Amino acid sequence: MALSKTASQTDVSIHSTFASRYVRTSLPRFRMPEESIPKEAAYQIINDELMLDGNPRLNLASFVTTWMEPECDKLIMAAANKNYVDMDEYPVTTELQNRCVNMIAHLFNAPLGESEAAVGVGTVGSSEAIMLAGLAFKRKWQNKRKAEGKPFDKPNIVTGANVQVCWEKFARYFEVELKEVKLRDGYYVMDPEKAVELVDENTICVAAILGSTLNGEFEDVKKLNELLTKKNQETGWDTPIHVDAASGGFIAPFLYPELEWDFRLPLVKSINVSGHKYGLVYAGIGWCIWRSKEDLPDELIFHINYLGADQPTFTLNFSKGSSQVIAQYYQLIRLGYEGYKNIMENCRENATVLKQGLERTGRFDIVSKDDGVPLVAFSLKDRSRHDEFEVSDFLRRFGWIVPAYTMPPDAQHITVLRVVIREDFSRTLAERLVYDIEKVLHELDALPPKQLLQNGGATTTAAAAMLAAKKPSAEDLQRSVTEHWRKFVLAKKTNGVC
Amino acid sequence: MVLTQVQQLDEGSSYTSSVFASRYVQDPVPRYELGTSSISKEAAYQLIHDELLLDGSPRLNLASFVTTWMEPECDRLMTETANKNYVDMDEYPVTTELQNRCVNIIARLFNVPLNVKEAAVGVGTVGSSEAIMLAGLAFKRRWQNRRRAEGKPYDKPNIVTGANVQVCCEKFARYFEVELKEVKLREGFYVMDPEKAVEMVDENTICVAAILGSTLTGEFEDVKLLNNLLTQKNKRTGWDTPIHVDAASGGFIAPFLYPELEWDFRLPLVKSINVSGHKYGLVYAGVGWVIWRSKEDLPDELIFHINYLGADQPTFTLNFSKGSSQIIAQYYQFLRLGFEGYRNVMNNCMESAKILREGLDATGRFDIISKEQGVPLVAFSFKERDKTLAFKFSNLLRRFGWIVPAYTLPPDLENTTVLRVVIREDFGRTLAEKFLSHVKMALKELDSMIRAPVPTIRYTIEFGPGENAGDEPMVKVVKQEVGGIQKSVPLLSGKTKGVC
């Protein structure tokens, strides 16, 4: 009698992933697993977990590009295995970076001769760009002070309190004091007059922001330039300006070409811009452009020599992928001036649609201006029953990610919600968002108001009596604990509202 | 009479014309200024793709440690996550968690002294450069705080390392205003000598940096000996100088091939380690990791607390926005390969390295400088003392498509020039044998270049008056010289290259 052998140990490669044993084992969290698993299983498992991430295109918190054309995706994947820093091995990639630098420098009206090469570098983002620019200013200032025989151990930088967290990083890591111009109610950017007042002999530069992260406003760089020129004449300190154009750098030249904010102003010595914001490239690329060679101290530059060719480099990162640089060049030649202009105009249109929709609900104040980065920052007119954080939470249920945050000092009592309009946020989506916000408002209206504990402990005697009388339920306790921790963490300057 | 109107070719609707039939391939491509009008996406793709054909081939780039091949499934994951901004921790909690898992996995690979469920202290970076800068910053701040508490001056920090250190350490030193004290190399000893290093340590030393996997020769430095000597010195002086291990290459090799080698957190003075995910972590360029021993080794004042609706996520990086693809790819590799997978890959690399080494040795023209234990690479120099040979040879190999860098060693060995071949995951036996055959061909060409230069004879002549008046002037040869070709090849000097 022939006994048929049951197929107990079938070849694992024929099992479909969800039939295999791999989806039954728990994932490695702390230790590397002992054995390998098939690549299909690895792909599927990770892909499935990632489904629980937010949807990048519905992430209205971020300025960073979330959609690119398929042709560009092809180029990006093909370049994934090129290490950007191998300049000798990949000379064309290096040249594409140089071309991007030149194009952006010309876009910012850098005072260059006909065939003069621009001074600039591609970075991983505006953070690195700002650190490099800051480092250049710090070194120039130190050299100047050393030559004058004056102390150079207490450099500072003047900027607005609306500054993005990377400036604080720069200040903390590179041991530069940060002197912030406080905001005030209704004025959410750096006041040029106050800024110039704060400038002293230890100031390495004044940083202006073109496109504040909080409400998208452009700071008045021209006025700052005038006031600072006057002060420089009086004091002889020669304090320069850096423009953080992370968002605005790819908007102003196309929507507001007559606005003078770039190298047309003589005190502006360096500008940074994020390629991955309105440069329309995926996350991971920024640019820093200097006015001229003199503004970049040579001692900071590393000369990498490849069999005769000198390639100067000035970056914090070394090895990194080439994909984003190539993608940036793709966008620059694909779109050209008219393409970028069309896209920015579309964004502005859609921002207007959203703004009008919100105004029509009658429940919001619009905090952002019309001119600036295409975003809409709005706050509730009536905060007594519910606040912006709740609106943000409820919108999450529809899939929208709309952040709510408080303004920095001295405007901490203002909370705003912010929606960033990116290239891929069409009118349909704008209208849908308004519709969903109205739904959220309906829902909130039906709910009881938030706890009195919200108001930082400032309760009236009547309320206090009420509190004392009421025994805190488990839910109250949980809420109060969450609130306490939220306030504790908020107290440390945060937010990657970026 | 009906006039037929000629159809104007609408530039914008050139959907039917193929790219190479269109005008786009004739117009000069914008180089230095933004073009005024848009061009079609197919044309943009094609133009850039074609220019990039002239780049070197990444997989034949034997200069680089950085990964050049990944599985298609991983490529898919990377494409799908290209539009996720890694820093949006609240929006992409799973991606953030994958990063945390990677940190924990790597920390435990390095034997960090933690309990089973305790979270490790570490962060994902864009590469080892950022990782080293963060680690250095932590050391600098700790040292400054300690000196301030002791009431001593803290304005002259220094770091002790070998002259074989990679350029990013110099960058750190220059940008963060720390003095770099380098231990010079010597003949036959191409890494940092622990004894000399410990001698150089003074009260201003923020840390001693040892390299596991020197870029020049792939050698592992003796971290254990350094630890012992430094412990002794610390006992005498009370300075408590710590060690940082730059395991950019070696961090993903030693645990799999040499598990008994003590170089990591098993040594008590090692406070932080950096490793490149994009080298033997087997991920494309753009990810590195730095792990600290414990919370105490990372001063809290350097950490930024980003608050997202209640959840506190501490961050300590130089870069902010960046893509998530590489982090996810790193986790993919951990999951996919596991311990045995990584070990198999490293074993294969060592095998290929061995074949290469034996093949080069067999030619009889080279000294092999790299050791057998270490990063799988082969560093070799010509037996003949001519410094220019290596550069010429590198050029000859380039013609076959191979990119093999030649460079001079740092002080005090500037007279030695070395060629280096890095064995990556995707350099198998077939490629190794092909490379050796090309080496033999290149050697033949090199020899013919040296032995038969184009001969030149230089005459110095004098014009004089003719013997008789009215005759033609007379030419007299005053001097005759026979010369060879003097071709100057610029030699690399100083800290260069991304010999990385």
Side-chain angles (χ1 to χ4, degrees):
Chain A
M1 189 168 73
L3 279 171
S4 52
K5 197 154 94 154
T6 42
S8 50
Q9 289 287 60
T10 25
D11 181 9
V12 285
S13 63
I14 69 167
H15 284 188
S16 93
T17 305
F18 287 108
S20 72
R21 57 181 173 77
Y22 300 112
V23 293
R24 277 209 235 162
T25 48
S26 87
L27 280 184
R29 279 182 172 70
F30 292 104
R31 290 212 90 94
M32 189 178 285
E34 271 302 314
E35 300 169 340
S36 317
I37 68 175
K39 49 195 169 86
E40 297 80 10
Y43 168 80
Q44 200 61 52
I45 291 172
I46 296 181
N47 183 57
D48 293 353
E49 257 206 299
L50 287 175
M51 289 194 305
L52 292 162
D53 263 347
N55 181 347
R57 293 196 50 199
L58 295 182
N59 176 8
L60 304 181
S62 176
F63 293 91
V64 176
T65 300
T66 47
W67 178 87
M68 292 192 86
E69 288 175 328
E71 281 72 9
C72 195
D73 281 348
K74 255 164 67 180
L75 276 174
I76 287 177
M77 270 331 285
N81 63 353
K82 281 193 193 172
N83 184 0
Y84 161 73
V85 82
D86 282 340
M87 294 173 204
D88 186 53
E89 286 79 18
Y90 310 123
V92 179
T93 307
T94 308
E95 206 199 310
L96 293 189
Q97 190 230 203
N98 292 342
R99 288 186 204 169
C100 288
V101 166
N102 278 289
M103 284 190 197
I104 296 174
H106 278 107
L107 201 62
F108 295 164
N109 300 293
L112 294 170
E114 254 307 306
S115 43
E116 207 180 321
V119 183
V121 76
T123 63
V124 165
S126 275
S127 291
E128 187 187 353
I130 281 170
M131 288 185 191
L132 295 177
L135 209 47
F137 282 124
K138 185 183 179 197
R139 200 51 67 89
K140 269 203 99 177
W141 174 83
Q142 280 173 333
N143 292 344
K144 192 175 87 201
R145 297 281 287 181
K146 244 181 274 201
E148 292 171 357
K150 296 196 182 138
F152 54 91
D153 56 328
K154 289 201 184 314
N156 69 55
I157 187 168
V158 172
T159 175
N162 58 329
V163 85
Q164 205 252 17
V165 70
C166 65
W167 283 102
E168 283 184 67
K169 274 191 187 177
F170 166 69
R172 218 186 276 188
Y173 295 165
F174 289 86
E175 289 154 14
V176 173
E177 188 197 338
L178 197 64
K179 293 174 89 165
E180 288 185 343
V181 177
K182 301 257 177 280
L183 312 181
R184 55 178 191 274
D185 212 336
Y187 196 89
Y188 302 119
V189 290
M190 176 174 81
D191 186 342
E193 289 177 12
K194 294 218 170 76
V196 173
E197 268 172 55
L198 282 180
V199 167
D200 60 30
E201 51 170 348
N202 288 320
T203 304
I204 65 174
C205 81
V206 181
I209 302 180
L210 198 78
S212 164
T213 33
L214 301 174
N215 61 357
E217 219 177 309
F218 289 168
E219 288 180 1
D220 194 343
V221 193
K222 187 166 184 192
K223 182 148 177 240
L224 177 67
N225 181 76
E226 284 164 8
L227 295 171
L228 196 54
T229 313
K230 264 202 292 231
K231 181 152 185 176
N232 281 345
Q233 257 159 356
E234 287 162 27
T235 59
W237 290 335
D238 206 20
T239 318
I241 297 177
H242 173 86
V243 182
D244 175 3
S247 317
F250 271 107
I251 296 173
F254 305 109
L255 289 185
Y256 312 106
E258 70 297 334
L259 180 73
E260 282 181 41
W261 64 273
D262 51 16
F263 292 119
R264 282 169 281 182
L265 303 169
L267 281 184
V268 173
K269 303 298 184 195
S270 52
I271 302 177
N272 70 280
V273 66
S274 281
H276 54 223
K277 290 181 184 147
Y278 290 95
L280 307 176
V281 181
Y282 289 137
I285 178 123
W287 303 95
C288 190
I289 315 282
W290 281 271
R291 192 188 193 84
S292 67
K293 280 208 196 57
E294 284 73 46
D295 298 297
L296 185 52
D298 202 49
E299 64 220 58
L300 291 174
I301 303 179
F302 278 80
H303 289 269
I304 305 213
N305 152 37
Y306 292 98
L307 302 168
D310 174 44
Q311 177 83 19
T313 81
F314 178 39
T315 54
L316 294 178
N317 297 294
F318 195 64
S319 294
K320 60 188 188 232
S322 324
S323 304
Q324 281 89 349
V325 173
I326 292 174
Q328 177 78 83
Y329 185 67
Y330 173 93
Q331 291 290 52
L332 289 171
I333 69 168
R334 153 63 168 144
L335 295 169
Y337 192 90
E338 74 167 334
Y340 271 98
K341 183 153 168 273
N342 288 341
I343 290 174
M344 299 309 153
E345 280 174 353
N346 279 352
C347 290
R348 190 169 50 177
E349 240 333 280
N350 292 329
T352 313
V353 165
L354 183 62
K355 188 180 79 136
Q356 285 167 351
L358 290 171
E359 278 171 339
R360 260 200 302 276
T361 66
R363 303 282 293 271
F364 296 107
D365 286 322
I366 307 293
V367 172
S368 53
K369 306 271 188 301
D370 280 342
D371 284 333
V373 175
L375 61 80
V376 184
F378 51 102
S379 55
L380 283 167
K381 282 190 176 154
D382 175 16
R383 293 189 76 230
S384 58
R385 290 170 52 86
H386 300 282
D387 64 11
E388 288 81 355
F389 291 100
E390 285 183 281
V391 174
S392 171
D393 280 342
F394 275 69
L395 274 174
R396 204 59 179 276
R397 294 210 329 258
F398 292 98
W400 301 106
I401 300 171
V402 178
Y405 51 89
T406 47
M407 291 291 207
D410 290 323
Q412 304 93 314
H413 51 284
I414 313 273
T415 318
V416 288
L417 289 146
R418 183 191 74 186
V419 172
V420 177
I421 313 294
R422 290 190 301 273
E423 174 190 11
D424 57 352
F425 187 78
S426 59
R427 186 185 181 119
T428 358
L429 287 178
E431 289 173 347
R432 178 154 279 275
L433 178 61
V434 173
Y435 180 60
D436 286 343
I437 288 179
E438 282 171 352
K439 275 203 277 204
V440 164
L441 289 173
H442 280 307
E443 272 190 51
L444 281 176
D445 286 341
L447 285 179
K450 267 178 136 172
Q451 295 300 310
L452 290 159
L453 289 161
Q454 291 295 61
N455 305 331
T459 53
T460 62
T461 37
M466 204 164 84
L467 271 177
K470 199 162 86 147
K471 191 159 174 250
S473 67
E475 199 197 326
D476 292 345
L477 210 54
Q478 196 176 39
R479 273 209 187 174
S480 66
V481 169
T482 322
E483 276 316 304
H484 168 78
W485 280 109
R486 181 181 293 178
K487 276 209 288 281
F488 166 71
V489 180
L490 267 178
K492 301 195 181 200
K493 169 89 180 192
T494 85
N495 205 344
V497 181
C498 50
Chain B
M1 190 166 77
V2 174
L3 281 172
T4 44
Q5 195 176 47
V6 176
Q7 187 84 317
Q8 288 292 75
L9 197 64
D10 184 4
E11 309 279 35
S13 63
S14 50
Y15 294 116
T16 50
S17 56
S18 88
V19 170
F20 287 108
S22 71
R23 61 172 177 76
Y24 298 121
V25 293
Q26 280 302 321
D27 288 347
V29 73
R31 279 185 171 72
Y32 298 110
E33 286 222 39
L34 198 61
T36 21
S37 43
S38 316
I39 67 177
S40 80
K41 49 192 166 84
E42 296 81 10
Y45 168 79
Q46 202 62 51
L47 289 169
I48 296 180
H49 179 261
D50 292 354
E51 274 211 75
L52 289 174
L53 289 173
L54 294 161
D55 264 345
S57 167
R59 291 195 52 197
L60 297 182
N61 175 8
L62 303 180
S64 176
F65 293 91
V66 176
T67 299
T68 47
W69 178 87
M70 292 192 86
E71 284 172 330
E73 280 72 11
C74 194
D75 281 350
R76 251 175 85 189
L77 267 178
M78 289 182 78
T79 318
E80 288 165 9
T81 52
N83 65 353
K84 282 193 193 174
N85 183 1
Y86 159 72
V87 82
D88 283 341
M89 295 176 203
D90 186 52
E91 285 80 15
Y92 311 122
V94 178
T95 307
T96 308
E97 206 199 309
L98 293 189
Q99 189 231 203
N100 292 342
R101 286 186 205 168
C102 287
V103 165
N104 278 293
I105 289 176
I106 296 175
R108 283 173 173 75
L109 202 63
F110 295 163
N111 298 293
V112 72
L114 285 176
N115 300 325
V116 173
K117 293 285 168 154
E118 210 178 321
V121 182
V123 75
T125 65
V126 166
S128 275
S129 290
E130 187 187 354
I132 283 174
M133 288 186 191
L134 295 177
L137 207 47
F139 281 124
K140 185 182 180 198
R141 198 52 67 90
R142 277 204 84 189
W143 175 83
Q144 280 174 331
N145 291 344
R146 200 177 74 225
R147 296 283 285 182
R148 224 176 308 194
E150 293 172 357
K152 296 194 183 141
Y154 53 92
D155 56 327
K156 290 201 183 315
N158 68 55
I159 185 170
V160 173
T161 174
N164 57 330
V165 80
Q166 205 250 18
V167 69
C168 67
C169 238
E170 279 186 67
K171 271 192 187 177
F172 166 71
R174 219 186 275 190
Y175 296 163
F176 290 86
E177 290 154 12
V178 174
E179 189 199 336
L180 194 65
K181 293 176 88 166
E182 289 186 342
V183 178
K184 304 256 179 284
L185 312 181
R186 59 176 191 276
E187 190 70 43
F189 199 88
Y190 303 113
V191 290
M192 176 176 82
D193 186 341
E195 289 176 12
K196 293 219 173 77
V198 173
E199 266 173 57
M200 280 180 141
V201 167
D202 59 28
E203 52 171 347
N204 288 321
T205 304
I206 64 175
C207 81
V208 181
I211 303 179
L212 197 79
S214 162
T215 33
L216 302 174
T217 56
E219 225 176 304
F220 289 167
E221 287 179 1
D222 195 341
V223 192
K224 188 166 182 191
L225 179 59
L226 177 66
N227 182 76
N228 295 341
L229 294 172
L230 196 53
T231 315
Q232 273 166 9
K233 183 157 184 174
N234 281 343
K235 260 198 275 231
R236 276 200 325 267
T237 59
W239 290 333
D240 206 21
T241 319
I243 296 177
H244 173 83
V245 182
D246 174 5
S249 318
F252 273 111
I253 297 173
F256 304 108
L257 292 183
Y258 314 106
E260 70 297 334
L261 180 73
E262 281 180 43
W263 64 273
D264 51 16
F265 292 118
R266 282 170 282 182
L267 303 169
L269 281 183
V270 172
K271 303 297 183 196
S272 53
I273 302 178
N274 70 280
V275 66
S276 281
H278 54 224
K279 292 180 183 148
Y280 291 95
L282 305 177
V283 181
Y284 289 137
V287 66
W289 304 95
V290 58
I291 315 283
W292 282 273
R293 191 187 194 85
S294 67
K295 282 206 193 63
E296 285 74 47
D297 298 296
L298 184 51
D300 200 49
E301 64 221 57
L302 292 175
I303 304 180
F304 279 81
H305 289 267
I306 304 217
N307 150 39
Y308 291 100
L309 303 169
D312 175 42
Q313 177 85 17
T315 82
F316 177 39
T317 54
L318 294 178
N319 298 296
F320 194 63
S321 295
K322 61 186 187 234
S324 324
S325 304
Q326 282 90 347
I327 307 261
I328 293 173
Q330 179 78 87
Y331 186 68
Y332 173 92
Q333 291 290 52
F334 287 152
L335 179 62
R336 154 67 168 139
L337 293 170
F339 200 90
E340 71 167 338
Y342 269 98
R343 195 180 47 227
N344 289 342
V345 168
M346 299 310 153
N347 272 328
N348 279 351
C349 290
M350 294 308 261
E351 259 311 299
S352 301
K354 186 156 158 252
I355 291 173
L356 203 59
R357 200 170 43 238
E358 287 168 358
L360 289 169
D361 212 18
T363 64
R365 301 287 297 272
F366 301 111
D367 286 323
I368 308 292
I369 297 185
S370 51
K371 306 272 187 296
E372 279 181 37
Q373 196 196 57
V375 174
L377 60 81
V378 184
F380 52 101
S381 63
F382 274 93
K383 284 193 171 142
E384 292 112 56
R385 281 285 125 178
D386 183 350
K387 274 203 284 190
T388 63
L389 280 180
F391 296 95
K392 289 184 189 146
F393 193 61
S394 171
N395 274 335
L396 286 171
L397 282 175
R398 198 65 178 266
R399 286 198 226 149
F400 292 103
W402 302 105
I403 300 171
V404 179
Y407 50 89
T408 44
L409 291 179
D412 293 320
L413 291 168
E414 302 94 324
N415 285 326
T416 318
T417 39
V418 171
L419 291 140
R420 183 191 73 184
V421 173
V422 176
I423 313 293
R424 292 189 300 274
E425 174 189 15
D426 56 353
F427 189 79
R429 187 181 184 125
T430 3
L431 284 179
E433 290 175 346
K434 192 108 203 105
F435 178 74
L436 285 171
S437 71
H438 285 157
V439 162
K440 295 198 184 77
M441 287 198 264
L443 280 174
K444 279 210 203 84
E445 254 194 78
L446 187 69
D447 290 339
S448 59
M449 260 171 67
I450 301 171
R451 278 174 207 141
V454 173
T456 55
I457 309 176
R458 177 182 286 167
Y459 292 95
T460 313
I461 58 177
E462 221 179 64
F463 277 97
E467 279 175 2
N468 306 312
D471 273 356
E472 304 254 306
M474 207 168 71
V475 174
K476 198 164 71 174
V477 175
V478 167
K479 199 157 64 158
Q480 179 179 321
E481 296 163 305
V482 176
I485 304 185
Q486 288 307 323
K487 202 161 134 190
S488 70
V489 177
L491 293 177
L492 296 174
S493 61
K495 198 50 147 181
T496 84
K497 221 202 151 162
V499 177
C500 54

